[in-house]
PDB file of all heavy atoms in Angstrom:
ATOM      1  N   ALA A 196      21.676 -79.223 -71.434  1.00  0.00           N
ATOM      2  CA  ALA A 196      22.806 -80.001 -72.013  1.00  0.00           C
ATOM      3  C   ALA A 196      23.081 -81.020 -70.827  1.00  0.00           C
ATOM      4  O   ALA A 196      22.866 -80.837 -69.660  1.00  0.00           O
ATOM      5  CB  ALA A 196      24.001 -78.989 -72.092  1.00  0.00           C
ATOM      6  N   ALA A 197      23.803 -82.071 -71.338  1.00  0.00           N
ATOM      7  CA  ALA A 197      24.231 -83.095 -70.325  1.00  0.00           C
ATOM      8  C   ALA A 197      25.571 -83.639 -70.681  1.00  0.00           C
ATOM      9  O   ALA A 197      25.967 -83.767 -71.955  1.00  0.00           O
ATOM     10  CB  ALA A 197      23.191 -84.313 -70.263  1.00  0.00           C
ATOM     11  N   ARG A 198      26.303 -84.008 -69.644  1.00  0.00           N
ATOM     12  CA  ARG A 198      27.711 -84.571 -69.894  1.00  0.00           C
ATOM     13  C   ARG A 198      27.811 -85.866 -69.061  1.00  0.00           C
ATOM     14  O   ARG A 198      27.586 -85.747 -67.877  1.00  0.00           O
ATOM     15  CB  ARG A 198      28.778 -83.661 -69.633  1.00  0.00           C
ATOM     16  CG  ARG A 198      30.175 -84.306 -69.967  1.00  0.00           C
ATOM     17  CD  ARG A 198      31.347 -83.334 -69.546  1.00  0.00           C
ATOM     18  NE  ARG A 198      31.400 -83.235 -68.064  1.00  0.00           N
ATOM     19  CZ  ARG A 198      32.553 -83.014 -67.491  1.00  0.00           C
ATOM     20  NH1 ARG A 198      33.620 -82.715 -68.203  1.00  0.00           N
ATOM     21  NH2 ARG A 198      32.605 -82.964 -66.184  1.00  0.00           N
ATOM     22  N   TRP A 199      28.310 -86.862 -69.549  1.00  0.00           N
ATOM     23  CA  TRP A 199      28.678 -88.178 -68.965  1.00  0.00           C
ATOM     24  C   TRP A 199      30.210 -88.272 -68.958  1.00  0.00           C
ATOM     25  O   TRP A 199      30.727 -88.146 -70.050  1.00  0.00           O
ATOM     26  CB  TRP A 199      27.937 -89.336 -69.404  1.00  0.00           C
ATOM     27  CG  TRP A 199      28.478 -90.702 -68.969  1.00  0.00           C
ATOM     28  CD1 TRP A 199      28.253 -91.200 -67.625  1.00  0.00           C
ATOM     29  CD2 TRP A 199      29.334 -91.525 -69.523  1.00  0.00           C
ATOM     30  NE1 TRP A 199      28.873 -92.456 -67.596  1.00  0.00           N
ATOM     31  CE2 TRP A 199      29.519 -92.613 -68.683  1.00  0.00           C
ATOM     32  CE3 TRP A 199      30.009 -91.512 -70.769  1.00  0.00           C
ATOM     33  CZ2 TRP A 199      30.376 -93.759 -68.988  1.00  0.00           C
ATOM     34  CZ3 TRP A 199      30.816 -92.671 -71.025  1.00  0.00           C
ATOM     35  CH2 TRP A 199      31.152 -93.691 -70.252  1.00  0.00           C
ATOM     36  N   TYR A 200      30.878 -88.544 -67.798  1.00  0.00           N
ATOM     37  CA  TYR A 200      32.294 -88.740 -67.825  1.00  0.00           C
ATOM     38  C   TYR A 200      32.613 -90.108 -67.132  1.00  0.00           C
ATOM     39  O   TYR A 200      31.983 -90.383 -66.074  1.00  0.00           O
ATOM     40  CB  TYR A 200      32.920 -87.524 -67.104  1.00  0.00           C
ATOM     41  CG  TYR A 200      34.529 -87.934 -66.613  1.00  0.00           C
ATOM     42  CD1 TYR A 200      35.483 -87.750 -67.619  1.00  0.00           C
ATOM     43  CD2 TYR A 200      34.672 -88.257 -65.368  1.00  0.00           C
ATOM     44  CE1 TYR A 200      36.719 -87.986 -67.141  1.00  0.00           C
ATOM     45  CE2 TYR A 200      35.983 -88.513 -65.022  1.00  0.00           C
ATOM     46  CZ  TYR A 200      37.024 -88.450 -65.806  1.00  0.00           C
ATOM     47  OH  TYR A 200      38.288 -88.815 -65.462  1.00  0.00           O
ATOM     48  N   ARG A 201      33.708 -90.767 -67.651  1.00  0.00           N
ATOM     49  CA  ARG A 201      34.190 -92.047 -67.000  1.00  0.00           C
ATOM     50  C   ARG A 201      35.600 -92.062 -67.118  1.00  0.00           C
ATOM     51  O   ARG A 201      36.195 -91.932 -68.272  1.00  0.00           O
ATOM     52  CB  ARG A 201      33.559 -93.182 -67.406  1.00  0.00           C
ATOM     53  CG  ARG A 201      34.015 -94.462 -66.797  1.00  0.00           C
ATOM     54  CD  ARG A 201      32.941 -95.722 -67.038  1.00  0.00           C
ATOM     55  NE  ARG A 201      33.572 -96.892 -66.359  1.00  0.00           N
ATOM     56  CZ  ARG A 201      33.124 -97.142 -64.998  1.00  0.00           C
ATOM     57  NH1 ARG A 201      32.462 -96.198 -64.336  1.00  0.00           N
ATOM     58  NH2 ARG A 201      33.680 -98.184 -64.426  1.00  0.00           N
ATOM     59  N   ARG A 202      36.267 -92.462 -65.990  1.00  0.00           N
ATOM     60  CA  ARG A 202      37.758 -92.741 -66.107  1.00  0.00           C
ATOM     61  C   ARG A 202      37.981 -94.207 -66.099  1.00  0.00           C
ATOM     62  O   ARG A 202      37.526 -95.009 -65.321  1.00  0.00           O
ATOM     63  CB  ARG A 202      38.492 -92.169 -64.850  1.00  0.00           C
ATOM     64  CG  ARG A 202      39.976 -92.220 -64.786  1.00  0.00           C
ATOM     65  CD  ARG A 202      40.574 -91.724 -63.576  1.00  0.00           C
ATOM     66  NE  ARG A 202      40.057 -92.544 -62.461  1.00  0.00           N
ATOM     67  CZ  ARG A 202      40.439 -92.303 -61.124  1.00  0.00           C
ATOM     68  NH1 ARG A 202      41.213 -91.374 -60.964  1.00  0.00           N
ATOM     69  NH2 ARG A 202      39.968 -93.178 -60.281  1.00  0.00           N
ATOM     70  N   ASP A 203      38.816 -94.645 -67.066  1.00  0.00           N
ATOM     71  CA  ASP A 203      39.095 -96.021 -67.275  1.00  0.00           C
ATOM     72  C   ASP A 203      40.609 -96.160 -67.304  1.00  0.00           C
ATOM     73  O   ASP A 203      41.277 -96.219 -68.420  1.00  0.00           O
ATOM     74  CB  ASP A 203      38.464 -96.585 -68.531  1.00  0.00           C
ATOM     75  CG  ASP A 203      38.773 -98.112 -68.691  1.00  0.00           C
ATOM     76  OD1 ASP A 203      39.209 -98.722 -67.777  1.00  0.00           O
ATOM     77  OD2 ASP A 203      38.492 -98.576 -69.728  1.00  0.00           O
ATOM     78  N   GLY A 204      41.293 -96.254 -66.009  1.00  0.00           N
ATOM     79  CA  GLY A 204      42.786 -96.221 -66.101  1.00  0.00           C
ATOM     80  C   GLY A 204      43.303 -94.957 -66.602  1.00  0.00           C
ATOM     81  O   GLY A 204      43.050 -93.746 -66.045  1.00  0.00           O
ATOM     82  N   ALA A 205      44.151 -94.935 -67.624  1.00  0.00           N
ATOM     83  CA  ALA A 205      44.750 -93.698 -68.205  1.00  0.00           C
ATOM     84  C   ALA A 205      43.815 -93.179 -69.277  1.00  0.00           C
ATOM     85  O   ALA A 205      44.172 -92.219 -69.876  1.00  0.00           O
ATOM     86  CB  ALA A 205      46.114 -94.162 -68.804  1.00  0.00           C
ATOM     87  N   LEU A 206      42.714 -93.628 -69.427  1.00  0.00           N
ATOM     88  CA  LEU A 206      41.786 -93.178 -70.510  1.00  0.00           C
ATOM     89  C   LEU A 206      40.622 -92.543 -69.922  1.00  0.00           C
ATOM     90  O   LEU A 206      39.873 -93.117 -69.031  1.00  0.00           O
ATOM     91  CB  LEU A 206      41.314 -94.375 -71.384  1.00  0.00           C
ATOM     92  CG  LEU A 206      40.603 -94.213 -72.741  1.00  0.00           C
ATOM     93  CD1 LEU A 206      41.479 -93.307 -73.655  1.00  0.00           C
ATOM     94  CD2 LEU A 206      40.056 -95.508 -73.334  1.00  0.00           C
ATOM     95  N   ASP A 207      40.226 -91.295 -70.445  1.00  0.00           N
ATOM     96  CA  ASP A 207      39.043 -90.593 -69.952  1.00  0.00           C
ATOM     97  C   ASP A 207      37.954 -90.610 -71.222  1.00  0.00           C
ATOM     98  O   ASP A 207      38.452 -90.251 -72.252  1.00  0.00           O
ATOM     99  CB  ASP A 207      39.415 -89.175 -69.634  1.00  0.00           C
ATOM    100  CG  ASP A 207      40.202 -89.023 -68.371  1.00  0.00           C
ATOM    101  OD1 ASP A 207      40.162 -90.025 -67.625  1.00  0.00           O
ATOM    102  OD2 ASP A 207      40.836 -87.954 -68.058  1.00  0.00           O
ATOM    103  N   TRP A 208      36.750 -90.997 -70.806  1.00  0.00           N
ATOM    104  CA  TRP A 208      35.763 -90.840 -71.737  1.00  0.00           C
ATOM    105  C   TRP A 208      34.795 -89.738 -71.456  1.00  0.00           C
ATOM    106  O   TRP A 208      34.400 -89.528 -70.351  1.00  0.00           O
ATOM    107  CB  TRP A 208      34.930 -92.215 -71.834  1.00  0.00           C
ATOM    108  CG  TRP A 208      35.774 -93.362 -72.322  1.00  0.00           C
ATOM    109  CD1 TRP A 208      36.324 -94.313 -71.642  1.00  0.00           C
ATOM    110  CD2 TRP A 208      35.981 -93.646 -73.866  1.00  0.00           C
ATOM    111  NE1 TRP A 208      37.068 -95.151 -72.530  1.00  0.00           N
ATOM    112  CE2 TRP A 208      36.901 -94.875 -73.805  1.00  0.00           C
ATOM    113  CE3 TRP A 208      35.641 -93.053 -74.852  1.00  0.00           C
ATOM    114  CZ2 TRP A 208      37.198 -95.407 -74.998  1.00  0.00           C
ATOM    115  CZ3 TRP A 208      36.065 -93.618 -76.116  1.00  0.00           C
ATOM    116  CH2 TRP A 208      36.892 -94.769 -76.157  1.00  0.00           C
ATOM    117  N   HIS A 209      34.314 -89.165 -72.449  1.00  0.00           N
ATOM    118  CA  HIS A 209      33.249 -88.050 -72.298  1.00  0.00           C
ATOM    119  C   HIS A 209      32.241 -88.286 -73.355  1.00  0.00           C
ATOM    120  O   HIS A 209      32.408 -88.590 -74.555  1.00  0.00           O
ATOM    121  CB  HIS A 209      33.878 -86.663 -72.626  1.00  0.00           C
ATOM    122  CG  HIS A 209      35.092 -86.291 -71.799  1.00  0.00           C
ATOM    123  ND1 HIS A 209      34.959 -85.564 -70.651  1.00  0.00           N
ATOM    124  CD2 HIS A 209      36.320 -86.700 -71.810  1.00  0.00           C
ATOM    125  CE1 HIS A 209      36.125 -85.391 -70.132  1.00  0.00           C
ATOM    126  NE2 HIS A 209      37.054 -86.079 -70.761  1.00  0.00           N
ATOM    127  N   GLY A 210      30.852 -88.004 -72.832  1.00  0.00           N
ATOM    128  CA  GLY A 210      29.795 -88.039 -73.867  1.00  0.00           C
ATOM    129  C   GLY A 210      28.899 -86.847 -73.577  1.00  0.00           C
ATOM    130  O   GLY A 210      28.550 -86.527 -72.338  1.00  0.00           O
ATOM    131  N   THR A 211      28.445 -86.194 -74.692  1.00  0.00           N
ATOM    132  CA  THR A 211      27.669 -84.914 -74.309  1.00  0.00           C
ATOM    133  C   THR A 211      26.402 -85.061 -75.248  1.00  0.00           C
ATOM    134  O   THR A 211      26.305 -85.534 -76.249  1.00  0.00           O
ATOM    135  CB  THR A 211      28.399 -83.643 -74.668  1.00  0.00           C
ATOM    136  OG1 THR A 211      28.815 -83.703 -76.050  1.00  0.00           O
ATOM    137  CG2 THR A 211      29.585 -83.469 -73.864  1.00  0.00           C
ATOM    138  N   ALA A 212      25.299 -84.308 -74.752  1.00  0.00           N
ATOM    139  CA  ALA A 212      24.053 -84.247 -75.443  1.00  0.00           C
ATOM    140  C   ALA A 212      23.532 -82.727 -75.318  1.00  0.00           C
ATOM    141  O   ALA A 212      23.700 -82.317 -74.139  1.00  0.00           O
ATOM    142  CB  ALA A 212      23.074 -85.258 -75.011  1.00  0.00           C
ATOM    143  N   ARG A 213      22.885 -82.190 -76.250  1.00  0.00           N
ATOM    144  CA  ARG A 213      22.361 -80.782 -76.098  1.00  0.00           C
ATOM    145  C   ARG A 213      21.100 -80.749 -76.954  1.00  0.00           C
ATOM    146  O   ARG A 213      21.167 -81.217 -78.049  1.00  0.00           O
ATOM    147  CB  ARG A 213      23.393 -79.859 -76.561  1.00  0.00           C
ATOM    148  CG  ARG A 213      23.062 -78.344 -76.349  1.00  0.00           C
ATOM    149  CD  ARG A 213      24.267 -77.436 -76.842  1.00  0.00           C
ATOM    150  NE  ARG A 213      23.952 -76.076 -76.538  1.00  0.00           N
ATOM    151  CZ  ARG A 213      23.276 -75.196 -77.384  1.00  0.00           C
ATOM    152  NH1 ARG A 213      22.725 -75.643 -78.463  1.00  0.00           N
ATOM    153  NH2 ARG A 213      23.122 -73.928 -76.973  1.00  0.00           N
ATOM    154  N   VAL A 214      20.219 -79.969 -76.418  1.00  0.00           N
ATOM    155  CA  VAL A 214      19.017 -79.565 -77.131  1.00  0.00           C
ATOM    156  C   VAL A 214      18.811 -78.086 -76.967  1.00  0.00           C
ATOM    157  O   VAL A 214      18.557 -77.505 -75.913  1.00  0.00           O
ATOM    158  CB  VAL A 214      17.736 -80.345 -76.716  1.00  0.00           C
ATOM    159  CG1 VAL A 214      16.515 -79.941 -77.465  1.00  0.00           C
ATOM    160  CG2 VAL A 214      18.001 -81.777 -76.702  1.00  0.00           C
TER     161      VAL A 214
END
Side-chain angles (χ1 to χ4, degrees):
R198 183 189 70 155
W199 169 79
Y200 162 81
R201 181 167 181 81
R202 183 185 65 180
D203 184 11
L206 188 63
D207 291 343
W208 292 101
H209 303 258
T211 60
R213 182 181 188 273
V214 178

